[in-house]
């Protein structure tokens, strides 16, 4: 269990989850919003999230995107998605980087970004939310894990949420409906000295 | 080694690869086209490919997409991407399904789809190709693996190729620059009786 999760709150959450699961089993083939976590060191987590965004847009769905790392990769996705109708695109805090030594500033930026997410999580007009690299903010404990998990659990029944980033906390994996762990069998950028390539890495 | 790869051809290919690798090491930070393989049972392989397509389009790149399974999932991606400029979108053969009992027809359809790919693999105006579910066609030996690997290796130096699908053949993994193995830790659709959801599964 992550250091920043309250055991009592966790037990409550799991009791709610158990109830939801029992309802699911009783109502097989139920339609419901999916909480999808894409984690692990392999390449493709964020790309996969953005691919699902494209798919959702192809269905005419409304999508919210919040990127929790600014400038971690190039703005290819931002250039593409932010210009589209039906997409509400946010990049976390001005000047925010993981390199900064100012932890308080980082936490304030993460908290402000979560405020944006929390509003979307209360708004059923959003069909799909992509919380890109949220796991990094959780790993660094820039956000309160219980607040995040509670807000996710309280979202509209049909809303889908995709969370990406390495090192997803166990509590988030427990809450999720679908979890993919992406393993790197090979990585051109790391293993082979190939420069990060536009369209693939960037 | 897959049954349909010729050991001698494989050795030749690996000799070429070794030469390319030595050049890479000599020229660290080299710009070059990446062969990326997204495989494994986890959710997100095709989505990840489509996300990279979106990223590439955000950079103004020209993209070719060939889907090797028709109707395996809904047409969300097709609806979204096929209408965009800079995207050349193909879905393999009319009436093609993996359920058919007519293996010769399947092989003819796969071969015709590869003819489309082979042309793109000789055309440097394509910056990125997405060969969606190609691994399935290889697994069923509907395509000659040596032909596929040779054509991939002979492509323009700066062209990126993404191959998706479970059970990537070992020779393809060997040839690839980056390989992600997607593991399913949880799957809403399979584990929990939740119906496949539009925007996530479809």
């Amino acid at each position: 269990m992550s250091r920043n999760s309250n055991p009592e709150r966790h037990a409550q959450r799991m009791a709610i989850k158990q109830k939801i699961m029992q309802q699911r089993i009783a109502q097989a083939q139920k339609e419901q919003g999916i909480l999808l976590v894409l984690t692990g060191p392999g390449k493709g987590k964020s790309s996969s999230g953005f691919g699902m965004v494209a798919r959702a847009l192809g269905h005419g769905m409304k999508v919210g995107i919040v990127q929790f790392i600014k400038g971690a990769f190039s703005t290819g996705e931002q250039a593409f998605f932010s210009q589209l109708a039906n997409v509400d695109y946010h990049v976390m805090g001005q000047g925010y980087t993981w390199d900064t030594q100012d932890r308080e500033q980082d936490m304030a930026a993460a908290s402000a970004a979560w405020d944006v997410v929390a509003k979307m999580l209360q708004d059923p007009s959003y069909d799909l939310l992509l919380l890109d690299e949220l796991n990094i903010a959780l790993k660094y404990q820039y956000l309160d894990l219980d607040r995040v998990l509670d807000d996710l659990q309280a979202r509209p029944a049909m809303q889908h949420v995709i969370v990406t980033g390495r090192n997803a906390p166990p509590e988030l994996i427990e809450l999720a409906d679908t979890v993919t762990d992406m393993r790197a069998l090979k990585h051109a950028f790391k293993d082979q000295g190939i420069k990060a390539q536009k369209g693939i890495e960037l």
Side-chain angles (χ1 to χ4, degrees), chain A:
Chain A
M1 189 168 293
S2 301
R3 281 167 292 168
N4 58 341
S5 176
N6 176 323
E8 195 176 322
R9 192 61 206 89
H10 176 258
Q12 288 169 10
R13 206 156 36 227
M14 285 306 110
I16 296 170
K17 170 142 178 147
Q18 188 181 31
K19 204 171 173 184
I20 294 171
M21 293 292 291
Q22 287 167 345
Q23 290 171 347
R24 278 183 197 168
I25 291 162
Q27 305 167 18
Q29 297 298 306
K30 197 187 166 190
E31 304 275 350
Q32 69 162 70
I34 301 288
L35 176 57
L36 171 65
V37 174
L38 303 171
T39 192
K43 168 149 193 54
K45 298 180 289 293
S46 294
S47 307
S48 185
F50 281 102
M52 289 176 205
V53 166
R55 187 182 291 180
L57 293 172
H59 287 298
M61 297 166 89
K62 183 179 171 186
V63 177
I65 300 173
V66 179
Q67 281 194 302
F68 278 83
I69 298 190
K70 186 186 178 181
F73 33 66
S74 109
T75 50
E77 291 92 350
Q78 192 173 2
F80 184 76
F81 285 110
S82 63
Q83 68 189 0
L84 298 175
N86 273 354
V87 175
D88 192 3
Y89 200 110
H90 298 268
V91 178
M92 185 169 155
Q94 280 301 323
Y96 186 95
T97 76
W98 297 103
D99 299 325
T100 177
Q101 300 299 311
D102 188 341
R103 183 172 168 86
E104 278 194 21
Q105 184 187 305
D106 288 350
M107 292 182 76
S111 183
W114 189 259
D115 289 343
V116 172
V117 174
K119 272 184 200 147
M120 292 175 173
L121 286 170
Q122 292 165 14
D123 181 350
S125 78
Y126 288 94
D127 299 297
L128 172 66
L129 302 185
L130 171 58
L131 309 182
D132 189 50
E133 301 289 3
L134 171 62
N135 289 335
I136 308 290
L138 292 173
K139 179 179 165 59
Y140 285 85
Q141 300 186 33
Y142 287 160
L143 288 171
D144 180 68
L145 181 59
D146 281 324
R147 182 187 174 205
V148 166
L149 296 175
D150 287 348
D151 288 352
L152 286 172
Q153 196 168 35
R155 76 187 190 279
M158 284 308 301
Q159 191 180 70
H160 303 301
V161 179
I162 302 167
V163 176
T164 76
R166 293 175 182 227
N167 299 115
E171 295 88 342
L172 179 62
I173 288 175
E174 202 169 350
L175 194 66
D177 301 296
T178 299
V179 180
T180 301
D181 181 26
M182 303 209 182
R183 303 261 132 212
L185 294 188
K186 267 189 182 178
H187 199 299
F189 185 45
K190 285 188 191 157
D191 303 343
Q192 300 171 31
I194 301 173
K195 194 171 172 185
Q197 295 297 304
K198 208 164 69 175
I200 292 286
E201 307 281 345
L202 303 177

